[in-house]
């Protein structure tokens, strides 16, 4: 079964709700607290990353940029007082969401993907914000949740990003370790019936929706799959059949 992108309203809701959740956490938790799943970050660093992404892509969309915009051209500083972090985050997310709606998702703009559209950024920034909301919740000991449909879309979005970023010649080497010699993995979401067939090629990772004969199968509910693939949960939250070493290698070379 194919993983289709969700409707636009669902992305906007996911973006704003996750941003508001991070803002709530910042009002009650110590901003200097280390993020459990991103130990190089504090909660302040997480807030800055999320707010920067919203404002940077907002500028790309508003200017209809056809090439990258230097982040130094955008006001990206956190407020001087920590009590204003939450409001800063929420205002940035709202302005970004409004910019997307004014432009329309089909409007062409620069992106690092083959998909050079506002719609690419809406989906990507929504999932980035959701993952960092999960980071913030895990840091303060909460159990995060996500709808199966949004989680399955997050898996497909992550695979789409890896396809681009693992390609030979791409300037970002973050996923080059996932290239292979034809090894295959089958991902299966048990609660949505979504399936993804992944092939590790010398030129980069390739994937298609559906099922194939695989060296390893990774099976679990869509949210657990998402958490495991993003390294936000240990691999044992999902079932692994076949060559487990391929799955361990995949996780070790995925560092979003």
């Amino acid at each position: 079964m194919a993983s289709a992108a969700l409707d636009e309203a669902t992305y906007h809701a996911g973006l704003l709700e996750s941003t508001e959740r991070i803002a709530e956490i910042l009002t009650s938790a110590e901003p200097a607290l280390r993020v459990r799943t991103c130990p190089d970050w504090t909660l302040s660093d997480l807030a800055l990353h999320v707010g920067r992404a919203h404002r940077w892509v907002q500028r790309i969309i508003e200017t209809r940029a056809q090439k990258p915009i230097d982040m130094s051209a955008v006001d990206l500083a956190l407020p001087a007082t920590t009590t204003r972090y939450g409001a800063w985050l929420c205002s940035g997310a709202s302005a970004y969401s409004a910019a997307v709606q004014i432009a329309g998702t089909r409007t062409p703009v620069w992106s690092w993907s083959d998909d050079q559209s506002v719609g690419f950024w809406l989906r990507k920034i929504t999932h980035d914000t959701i993952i960092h909301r999960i980071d913030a919740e895990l840091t303060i000991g909460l159990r995060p949740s996500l709808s199966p449909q949004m989680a399955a879309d997050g898996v497909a979005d992550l695979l789409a990003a890896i396809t681009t970023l693992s390609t030979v010649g791409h300037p970002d080497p973050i996923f080059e370790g996932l290239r292979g010699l034809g090894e295959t993995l089958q991902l299966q979401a048990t609660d949505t019936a979504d399936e993804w067939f992944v092939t590790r090629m010398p030129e980069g990772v390739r994937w298609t929706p559906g099922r194939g004969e695989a060296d390893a199968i990774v099976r679990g509910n869509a949210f657990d799959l998402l958490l495991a693939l993003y390294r936000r949960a240990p691999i044992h939250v999902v079932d692994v059949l076949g060559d487990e070493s391929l799955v361990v290698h995949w996780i070790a070379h995925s560092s979003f």
Side-chain angles (χ1 to χ4, degrees):
M1 180 177 177
S3 293
L6 305 176
D7 64 90
E8 185 177 343
T10 300
Y11 289 124
H12 285 285
L15 169 81
L16 297 173
E17 289 167 5
S18 284
T19 305
E20 288 166 2
R21 186 72 184 113
I22 296 170
E24 290 171 4
I25 290 170
L26 285 167
T27 64
S28 58
E30 172 55 53
L33 191 63
R34 287 285 164 186
V35 178
R36 286 175 48 191
T37 43
C38 302
D40 291 339
W41 281 1
T42 63
L43 282 176
S44 290
D45 295 327
L46 184 150
L48 182 59
H49 172 85
V50 172
R52 277 179 166 177
H54 294 166
R55 287 164 170 81
W56 178 61
V57 180
Q58 178 189 345
R59 178 66 65 87
I60 289 171
I61 292 169
E62 288 179 338
T63 62
R64 309 296 192 264
Q66 299 303 307
K67 60 182 181 180
I69 289 179
D70 193 316
M71 280 200 174
S72 64
V74 185
D75 181 9
L76 298 173
L78 279 168
T81 57
T82 58
T83 57
R84 296 177 55 201
Y85 284 4
W88 179 81
L89 272 176
C90 290
S91 65
S94 295
Y96 167 73
S97 177
V100 170
Q101 293 179 68
I102 291 168
T105 55
R106 295 185 180 182
T107 298
V109 293
W110 172 85
S111 82
W112 47 258
S113 168
D114 290 339
D115 182 354
Q116 302 273 303
S117 74
V118 170
F120 164 82
W121 284 117
L122 174 60
R123 188 188 197 196
K124 175 53 62 187
I125 294 299
T126 295
H127 284 297
D128 184 72
T129 305
I130 287 171
I131 288 297
H132 293 314
R133 180 263 292 175
I134 291 168
D135 289 329
E137 290 176 329
L138 290 172
T139 295
I140 63 170
L142 297 179
R143 180 176 176 82
S145 63
L146 189 64
S147 75
Q149 293 73 26
M150 183 66 88
D153 189 67
V155 172
D157 178 70
L158 175 61
L159 290 175
I162 289 173
T163 296
T164 298
L165 298 175
S166 67
T167 300
V168 171
H170 194 278
D172 188 341
I174 186 172
F175 291 117
E176 63 184 4
L178 294 181
R179 298 172 197 154
L181 298 173
E183 302 91 342
T184 53
L185 294 91
Q186 177 74 59
L187 308 180
Q188 298 176 345
T190 55
D191 52 348
T192 66
D194 287 282
E195 299 179 326
W196 305 268
F197 185 72
V198 181
T199 306
R200 294 172 50 197
M201 301 296 289
E203 64 273 17
V205 172
R206 301 293 178 262
W207 71 279
T208 58
R211 181 178 297 191
E213 193 69 30
D215 298 313
I217 299 171
V218 185
R219 179 185 299 150
N221 68 61
F223 188 43
D224 283 344
L225 272 177
L226 184 72
L227 292 178
L229 291 172
Y230 266 101
R231 309 203 306 184
R232 266 55 180 189
I235 192 62
H236 64 67
V237 302
V238 293
D239 296 323
V240 178
L241 307 175
D243 190 347
E244 185 173 346
S245 68
L246 289 178
V247 181
V248 172
H249 181 276
W250 179 281
I251 299 300
H253 291 81
S254 304
S255 57
F256 257 141

